[in-house]
């Protein structure tokens, strides 16, 4: 049978056809393909940290029905664990009515936007943004309003219009590692109160904050959850990104709407994995937290290495990312990332993925390689900048 097919009569919707691929995932798919072909790639593009974790055993779980559906709000035992966890961050949560556990935090953000937006509603998205925010807003038939990275949080009010419905706060920030100050968060909450907005707080990297810049949860400024939605994930902090367990915390009015969407799209988060996380909640954190500290320390070291060779980064201390400037290079970020991968076998993510104002930057992730290989990758970045500076 011939492998050549005739053109399909199927036509995608204009909405989805105009949606861009997630550029970081596109790069990493290329890395997987090159690695499978035998290329040794120094991978500074992955959005995860590789932790040493014990191989999970499921035969010691006490629960029955591990291979079947569980509650569409999320396994009750896991919701109770999460509520207790967030109490330590001064975010009071009712596990029965104010949490939905779902298959990853990405879909949680999408479902919140879908529950909130009418066609044409605007969502303020400060740059550098996690690259799926604007596309998810568009997929929900909203309008993302991007704010250049050099605009202060205290100037966000000038981007609010009568159509503005929400503001996205990514804290700590992916890709810069910046942690918002209490004053900035207070300003955002005051703005939300004054203008009737929803604050969507994506805090997926909150464990990756160094002790000298303690994390303050957005929800702690809004204990009644009147306008705050917290989005988070067990993937990053527990080193199980492939398990796809995320969750959202919000007022029950919004949670009840999201629950309907979750039931129609997901049904429930993976039951057996939810049970494992519920029963080993503290045990896994005890294993990952020391490794989180080490990767944050590595980030600090790499920031020093970049500064020593004259490569500037956007301000930030948290996560395992750095957002590095291309300096005097004549290449844009896509050209730079492509040449770096092809010529030096080093993968980074082009800054344009994080907003138009970020095209003179690249995202460097230090979560998956040894310090020695990270240093080799940094040297290759420096060499390409030098080679393309006029």
């Amino acid at each position: 049978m011939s492998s050549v097919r005739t053109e399909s009569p199927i036509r995608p919707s204009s909405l989805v056809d105009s949606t861009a691929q997630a550029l970081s995932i596109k790069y990493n798919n290329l890395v997987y393909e090159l690695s499978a072909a035998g290329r040794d790639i120094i991978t500074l593009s992955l959005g995860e940290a590789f932790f040493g974790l014990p191989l999970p055993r499921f035969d010691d779980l006490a629960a029955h029905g591990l291979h079947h559906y569980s509650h569409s709000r999320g396994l009750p035992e896991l919701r109770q664990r999460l509520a207790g966890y967030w109490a330590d961050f001064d975010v009071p949560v009712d596990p029965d009515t104010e949490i939905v556990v779902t298959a990853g935090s990405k879909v949680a953000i999408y479902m919140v936007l879908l529950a909130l937006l009418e066609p044409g509603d605007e969502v303020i998205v400060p740059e550098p943004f996690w690259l799926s925010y604007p596309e998810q807003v568009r997929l929900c038939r909203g309008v993302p309003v991007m704010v250049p990275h050099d605009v202060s949080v205290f100037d966000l009010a000038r981007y609010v219009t009568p159509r503005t419905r929400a503001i996205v706060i990514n804290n700590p920030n992916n890709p810069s590692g910046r942690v918002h100050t209490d004053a900035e968060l207070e300003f955002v909450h005051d703005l939300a109160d004054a203008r009737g907005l929803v604050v969507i707080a994506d805090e997926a990297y909150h464990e990756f904050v160094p002790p000298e810049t303690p994390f303050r949860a957005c929800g702690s400024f809004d204990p009644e959850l009147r306008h705050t939605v917290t989005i988070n994930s067990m993937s990053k902090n527990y080193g199980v990104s492939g398990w796809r367990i995320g969750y959202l915390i919000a007022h029950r009015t919004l949670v009840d709407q999201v629950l309907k969407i979750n039931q129609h799209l997901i049904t429930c988060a993976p039951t057996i994995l939810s049970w494992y996380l519920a029963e080993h909640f503290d045990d896994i954190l005890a294993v990952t937290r020391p490794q989180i500290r080490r990767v944050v320390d590595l980030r600090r070291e790499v920031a020093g290495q970049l500064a020593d060779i004259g490569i500037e980064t956007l301000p930030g201390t948290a996560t395992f990312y750095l957002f590095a400037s291309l300096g005097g290079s004549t290449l844009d970020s896509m050209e730079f990332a492509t040449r770096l991968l092809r010529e030096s076998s080093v993968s980074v993510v082009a800054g344009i993925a994080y907003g138009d104002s970020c095209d003179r930057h690249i995202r460097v992730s230090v979560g998956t390689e040894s310090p020695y290989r990270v240093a080799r990758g940094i040297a290759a970045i420096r060499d390409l900048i030098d080679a393309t500076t006029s």
Side-chain angles (χ1 to χ4, degrees):
M1 178 182 295
S2 171
S3 61
V4 178
R5 297 186 184 275
T6 59
E7 183 179 354
S8 170
I10 298 172
R11 293 291 179 268
S13 72
S14 58
L15 177 64
V16 175
D17 191 43
S18 64
T19 301
Q21 286 192 52
L23 196 57
S24 61
I25 298 175
K26 181 179 179 179
Y27 268 105
N28 288 323
N29 284 340
L30 180 57
V31 169
Y32 299 144
E33 293 164 5
L34 291 172
S35 297
R39 287 273 298 275
D40 179 24
I41 307 297
I42 296 177
T43 305
L44 306 182
S45 55
L46 278 178
E48 58 181 324
F50 285 0
F51 294 149
L53 292 172
L55 189 66
R57 287 175 54 98
F58 299 108
D59 55 0
D60 64 346
L61 297 186
H64 297 289
L66 296 176
H67 303 301
H68 303 289
Y69 294 131
S70 55
H71 202 296
S72 59
R73 288 184 183 271
L75 191 74
E77 290 79 0
L78 183 55
R79 282 185 274 133
Q80 290 165 6
R81 287 282 202 170
L82 289 167
Y85 174 84
W86 281 99
D88 292 338
F89 293 95
D90 298 320
V91 182
V93 182
D94 181 347
D96 295 326
T97 62
E98 295 175 342
I99 299 179
V100 174
V101 180
T102 189
S105 60
K106 281 187 178 182
V107 75
I109 298 169
Y110 175 76
M111 290 191 291
V112 166
L113 292 168
L114 193 61
L116 285 174
L117 300 182
E118 298 289 352
D121 280 353
E122 296 173 354
V123 178
I124 294 175
V125 183
E127 298 179 1
F129 49 68
W130 176 62
L131 52 84
S132 288
Y133 296 147
E135 298 303 332
Q136 288 198 0
V137 171
R138 293 186 185 100
L139 286 170
C140 293
R141 303 185 189 278
V143 179
V145 177
M146 272 71 90
V147 180
H149 75 78
D150 56 354
V151 174
S152 167
V153 169
F154 301 108
D155 289 330
L156 288 180
R158 61 189 173 98
Y159 292 86
V160 177
T161 76
R163 295 306 304 265
T164 306
R165 188 75 176 92
I167 300 175
V168 177
I169 296 297
N170 184 200
N171 187 44
N173 179 264
N174 170 13
S176 71
R178 184 171 182 270
V179 180
H180 283 292
T181 66
D182 284 6
E184 289 173 329
L185 295 177
E186 287 175 358
F187 176 84
V188 169
H189 284 286
D190 289 344
L191 180 61
D193 270 335
R195 304 297 292 270
L197 309 178
V198 174
V199 178
I200 301 174
D202 179 358
E203 298 174 340
Y205 295 91
H206 75 279
E207 286 275 356
F208 291 83
V209 175
E212 62 269 20
T213 53
F215 169 73
R216 182 78 184 274
C218 242
S220 67
F221 292 87
D222 181 22
E224 296 181 359
L225 301 179
R226 292 185 307 107
H227 61 240
T228 304
V229 181
T230 297
I231 305 289
N232 214 301
S233 165
M234 301 192 75
S235 299
K236 308 294 183 182
N237 304 323
Y238 284 68
V240 290
S241 55
W243 287 23
R244 312 311 302 139
I245 304 287
Y247 57 93
L248 65 98
I249 296 169
H251 192 282
R252 65 178 303 167
T253 301
L254 180 59
V255 163
D256 287 347
Q257 300 305 313
V258 170
L259 179 63
K260 293 186 290 187
I261 303 170
N262 195 49
Q263 289 171 346
H264 287 296
L265 294 184
I266 305 296
T267 300
C268 62
T271 302
I272 191 170
L273 302 181
S274 295
W275 267 113
Y276 187 91
L277 290 168
E279 294 201 6
H280 297 281
F281 195 95
D282 295 324
D283 298 335
I284 303 176
L285 270 181
V287 172
T288 60
R289 274 177 169 161
Q291 298 180 77
I292 288 173
R293 297 282 75 81
R294 285 196 289 273
V295 78
V296 173
D297 286 344
L298 177 59
R299 184 204 183 279
R300 182 188 297 111
E301 293 172 13
V302 174
Q305 293 169 15
L306 289 167
D308 288 344
I309 58 177
I311 297 178
E312 297 180 353
T313 58
L314 288 191
T317 58
T319 74
F320 40 82
Y321 303 118
L322 300 103
F323 210 42
S325 171
L326 297 182
S329 173
T330 58
L331 303 179
D332 63 34
S333 61
M334 283 284 288
E335 293 169 335
F336 190 94
T338 300
R339 279 190 58 175
L340 189 69
L341 181 58
R342 288 178 176 169
E343 298 174 10
S344 302
S345 296
V346 176
S347 67
V348 295
V349 183
I352 191 65
Y354 306 97
D356 288 347
S357 70
C358 303
D359 197 23
R360 300 299 306 159
H361 293 79
I362 52 173
R363 190 187 76 172
V364 178
S365 171
V366 300
T368 63
E369 295 281 10
S370 69
Y372 169 71
R373 285 172 63 83
V374 171
R376 283 178 52 197
I378 296 302
I381 292 169
R382 177 204 60 207
D383 290 346
L384 184 56
I385 290 175
D386 290 347
T388 57
T389 296
S390 56

